[in-house]
Amino acid sequence: MYPFRIDIPQAELDTLRQRIAQTRWPSEPAGVGWSRGIPLDYLKDLAEYWHTTYDWRKAEERINQYAQFITRIDGANVHFMHVRSPEPDAMPLVLTHGWPGSIVEFLDAIGPLTDPVAHGGDAADAFHLIIPSIPGHGFSGPLAQTGWDIPRVARAWVELMSRLGYEEYGVQGGDWGSFISLEMGRIAPRQVTGVHVNLLLTPPSGDPAELAGLSATDRIRIGRLARYHAELSGYAQVQGTRPLTVAYGLHDSPVGQLAWIMEKFKEWTDSNGAPEDAIDRDLLLTNVMFYWLTGTAGSSAQLYYDSGTYLRRWFMPGPRDVMTVPIGVAVAKPDVTPPVRRFAERDLPTISHWAEYDRGSHFFAMEEPDLFTHDVRLFYRSLRPEFAAS
């Protein structure tokens, strides 16, 4: 384990600008908007901003204010931020991102979670944060090995926490981070005190009796899950079956990489017309840079291939593998695959916290960091002795 600091050579940034300027733009049918993918005019405007205005050095400086490390676990390099709270009794908490996210997802929540007093909160809510990049993503990539599925990542995180000397800790995640966090709770119940997620798949069984009495809201949620399968899951089908093929274009074209990622931020955020309605444009581009600068378009896609069997089980109804630790669920509407509480409690009986919010969506920590922080605090208060006794 050794200290790490991001320091991208200027030549790489110059080459990126050249590639953006030399983009070979396609045509598009008139009047289709976002219905067939990311619109040409929007992408040209965003690429021009990326080329002329966006400042990577500013983002680099912001991230480098936090302690970062690299360690090797099970044959892969693992990059992580380790941000200790000024409060000595803070609870260790692992925050795990998803795809097409990165550790950038959590930047706006680091201060409030680690130093609540400085942000108008209670010192007893403090966390020591461990924020790793999933192998194959960002500075934990690229990967030279296959077989990095969700259980393997979860085991790596348990090993990481052991190396850091943490005997008990909480975990939190959305997207892939949700699956990884839940798997950590399953395989390491003595170490994991609780699992907080802001994504949970709750497919219906098809039994008419199970659907009886569902609210209109829950029926809409089932419909959104069906729409995801029918219309919005093409990226997962490609990355889950032919990750190498798609990698060539994404690895070679910065605008191709930009479009591939930004489409998801449009479809999966609480936005009215463009991703920037929900998340700051510079923060969005910093997230894209984590894929471009590290060359991890292809290796991040491998997680879909290697976790295919594991993920398909989650799209089937029924009880999950034995889980004994408490689970907290934050539902930020309108997520792309919102959960139905009745089905969630059918499959995961240790759910002890459920909260719903009318703002934010799939990238909860980026879209609404204050609400995200609030819900993480709320769940873990129930597991902290100082709060439980009061």
Side-chain angles (χ1 to χ4, degrees):
M1 188 176 297
Y2 57 89
F4 178 81
R5 183 177 177 84
I6 302 173
D7 186 15
I8 301 299
Q10 185 59 42
E12 290 192 30
L13 302 180
D14 294 340
T15 298
L16 169 61
R17 289 192 175 91
Q18 292 169 8
R19 283 176 172 268
I20 296 172
Q22 294 169 358
T23 299
R24 184 173 178 235
W25 295 99
S27 61
E28 70 172 359
V32 297
W34 287 84
S35 64
R36 302 192 180 203
I38 195 161
L40 181 61
D41 287 347
Y42 169 80
L43 191 60
K44 280 186 172 182
D45 178 73
L46 183 58
E48 179 65 16
Y49 180 87
W50 194 14
H51 175 226
T52 62
T53 306
Y54 171 76
D55 186 353
W56 165 255
R57 293 302 184 198
K58 183 177 178 181
E60 191 177 66
E61 181 181 7
R62 181 185 183 189
I63 297 166
N64 280 337
Q65 71 179 296
Y66 302 115
Q68 300 167 73
F69 300 88
I70 295 280
T71 191
R72 194 156 182 84
I73 301 176
D74 195 13
N77 288 330
V78 174
H79 164 255
F80 64 98
M81 291 195 291
H82 188 192
V83 189
R84 292 189 60 83
S85 170
E87 305 296 336
D89 296 326
M91 174 185 286
L93 179 66
V94 183
L95 301 177
T96 305
H97 66 85
W99 184 93
S102 66
I103 62 171
V104 173
E105 291 184 49
F106 302 110
L107 288 178
D108 288 336
I110 290 175
L113 287 174
T114 57
D115 194 359
V117 173
H119 294 81
D122 190 327
D125 279 321
F127 296 91
H128 300 307
L129 296 182
I130 300 87
I131 312 176
S133 296
I134 297 172
H137 296 64
F139 293 96
S140 288
L143 276 174
Q145 300 175 328
T146 60
W148 273 96
D149 60 3
I150 293 301
R152 188 171 177 182
V153 178
R155 292 192 298 270
W157 279 196
V158 172
E159 171 62 20
L160 173 62
M161 295 302 283
S162 175
R163 292 184 187 185
L164 292 172
Y166 292 123
E167 297 179 355
E168 293 186 343
Y169 45 87
V171 297
Q172 196 288 326
D175 196 88
W176 282 129
S178 169
F179 300 108
I180 293 165
S181 298
L182 288 164
E183 185 67 13
M184 290 178 72
R186 187 187 71 81
I187 66 174
R190 293 184 180 180
Q191 293 93 334
V192 175
T193 58
V195 178
H196 182 277
V197 297
N198 56 279
L199 177 140
L200 195 62
L201 295 179
T202 58
S205 67
D207 180 356
E210 188 178 62
L211 300 177
L214 284 181
S215 67
T217 296
D218 283 341
R219 290 183 180 276
I220 290 172
R221 292 180 180 187
I222 292 173
R224 289 181 69 86
L225 183 61
R227 178 175 179 256
Y228 171 81
H229 280 297
E231 183 182 341
L232 303 178
S233 62
Y235 75 96
Q237 294 294 327
V238 172
Q239 296 190 151
T241 58
R242 297 295 184 269
L244 279 178
T245 302
V246 73
Y248 296 109
L250 300 180
H251 189 82
D252 186 62
S253 168
V255 170
Q257 178 72 93
L258 180 67
W260 190 246
I261 290 176
M262 292 299 288
E263 181 192 80
K264 299 305 145 205
F265 277 90
K266 164 61 169 63
E267 293 177 338
W268 298 353
T269 55
D270 187 10
S271 60
N272 294 319
E276 295 93 323
D277 294 340
I279 301 171
D280 176 75
R281 175 176 272 200
D282 285 357
L283 195 62
L284 289 166
L285 288 171
T286 297
N287 180 70
V288 173
M289 291 288 274
F290 261 64
Y291 286 84
W292 178 258
L293 294 174
T294 59
T296 50
S299 61
S300 63
Q302 299 295 331
L303 186 57
Y304 284 85
Y305 189 100
D306 289 324
S307 296
T309 300
Y310 182 91
L311 189 60
R312 281 190 288 274
R313 289 174 50 229
W314 274 94
F315 278 103
M316 299 294 293
R320 307 305 175 193
D321 291 336
V322 176
M323 176 79 74
T324 59
V325 302
I327 299 171
V329 182
V331 183
K333 299 178 286 187
D335 203 346
V336 64
T337 56
V340 174
R341 185 168 186 173
R342 181 193 298 183
F343 301 159
E345 292 173 342
R346 169 201 68 192
D347 297 344
L348 293 167
T350 62
I351 292 175
S352 62
H353 167 84
W354 185 284
E356 303 209 1
Y357 300 93
D358 60 4
R359 305 195 314 275
S361 190
H362 191 79
F363 302 96
F364 195 27
M366 291 181 85
E367 295 178 70
E368 298 290 343
D370 291 343
L371 288 182
F372 171 82
T373 297
H374 165 77
D375 203 76
V376 170
R377 289 175 178 172
L378 200 60
F379 170 61
Y380 281 106
R381 280 177 188 172
S382 67
L383 308 181
R384 294 178 188 254
E386 59 268 35
F387 282 114
S390 60

